């Protein structure tokens, strides 16, 4: 009996060791499969996000080469007291119209060496005009203007700057935004003609869908979030 018992114990030990090996092997397999799945999803999300950013830059390029915008900006900048109100009204109306070049544009702002020349948003109506650029954020606008103007003579640069400050458009249901600044050159191909910068503010909503919650059969299995180059979180699906 003792011999049979000893053999049985040895057999059980072998079985347990083998089960432990299978468990670890299966666990490692799941880890590898999960990593491959996450890598594939994140790669696709990254490509989608890059594509959407490219489209945003194209929208900004269309606005920057708008002949009417260029003329209106110059007219307002050079207007005397009598023509200032008329020039401002014409520029504001045109800004409102170009704000609809993309469904993701929330606000367009013209900045020159003196600061904010004019701001327009697609969500303004009647007297409900609440500026996106508050006093505390004007330094960011100045940095965008200075950065773009400094690159005008550089033939190898993209002639644009991007900022994620301010991140929130508080008056519009805490809308999250980011900003692309481009020189206003109108019909000319020469960047040296630019004397003002257009800052286009985009909603993040459509963009973060490319790196937010991904579902299979309505089951959330991956949570992505968006950061800037400094690691500051711009968007996370868990708003708590």
């Amino acid at each position: 009996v003792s011999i049979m018992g000893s053999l049985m114990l040895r057999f059980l030990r072998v079985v347990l060791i083998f089960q432990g090996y299978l468990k670890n092997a299966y666990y490692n397999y799941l880890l590898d499969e999960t990593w491959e799945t996450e890598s594939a999803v994140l790669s696709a999300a990254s490509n989608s996000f890059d594509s959407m950013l490219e489209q945003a830059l194209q929208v900004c390029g269309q606005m920057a080469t708008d002949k009417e915008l260029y003329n209106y900006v110059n007219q307002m900048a050079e207007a005397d007291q009598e023509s200032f109100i008329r020039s401002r009204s014409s520029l504001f109306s045109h800004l409102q119209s170009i704000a609809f070049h993309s469904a993701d544009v929330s606000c367009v702002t013209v900045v020159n060496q003196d600061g904010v020349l004019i701001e327009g948003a697609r969500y303004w109506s009647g007297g409900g005009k609440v500026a996106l650029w508050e006093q505390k954020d004007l330094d960011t606008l100045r940095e965008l203007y200075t950065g773009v103007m400094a690159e005008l003579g550089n033939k190898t640069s993209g002639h644009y700057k991007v900022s994620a400050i301010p991140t929130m458009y508080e008056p519009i249901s805490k809308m999250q935004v980011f900003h692309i600044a481009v020189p206003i050159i109108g019909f000319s191909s020469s960047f040296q003609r630019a004397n003002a910068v257009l800052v286009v503010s985009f909603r993040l909503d459509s963009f973060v869908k490319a790196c937010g919650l991904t579902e299979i059969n309505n089951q959330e299995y991956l949570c992505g979030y968006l950061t800037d180059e400094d690691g500051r979180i711009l968007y996370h699906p868990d708003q708590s």
Side-chain angles (χ1 to χ4, degrees), residues 23-45:
K23 181 179 179 181
N24 290 332
Y26 184 60
Y27 177 71
N28 290 329
Y29 167 78
L30 289 178
L31 287 179
D32 291 340
E33 286 295 303
T34 300
W35 172 245
E36 288 180 8
T37 301
E38 290 182 354
S39 296
V41 171
L42 290 174
S43 177

Side-chain angles (χ1 to χ4, degrees), residues 92 95-96 99 106-110 118-124 169:
F92 180 78
L95 278 183
Q96 292 293 90
S106 62
C107 184
V108 282
T109 307
V110 177
I118 193 169
E119 177 182 338
R122 66 186 295 147
Y123 305 102
W124 290 358
Y169 193 173

Side-chain angles (χ1 to χ4, degrees), residues 5 9 11 20 39-40 63 73 79 90 105 111 125 160 172 177 189 194 220 225 228 234:
L9 288 174
F11 176 75
S39 296
M63 295 181 181
V73 168
S90 298
V105 173
V111 187
S125 61
Y160 68 89
I172 312 297
V177 290
S189 59
E220 297 173 357
Y225 58 92
D228 62 14
L234 304 177

Side-chain angles (χ1 to χ4, degrees), residues 143-160:
E143 290 174 5
L144 288 172
Y145 171 81
T146 302
V148 169
M149 298 301 287
E151 295 289 335
L152 295 185
N154 189 347
K155 295 182 180 180
T156 61
S157 74
H159 300 103
Y160 68 89

Side-chain angles (χ1 to χ4, degrees), residues 94-137:
H94 195 65
L95 278 183
Q96 292 293 90
S97 68
I98 67 174
F100 285 85
H101 281 197
S102 168
D104 298 314
V105 173
S106 62
C107 184
V108 282
T109 307
V110 177
V111 187
N112 62 12
Q113 61 183 357
D114 299 320
V116 177
L117 186 64
I118 193 169
E119 177 182 338
R122 66 186 295 147
Y123 305 102
W124 290 358
S125 61
K129 300 177 181 179
V130 183
L132 165 64
W133 296 97
E134 300 178 357
Q135 188 67 34
K136 62 183 176 62
D137 302 312

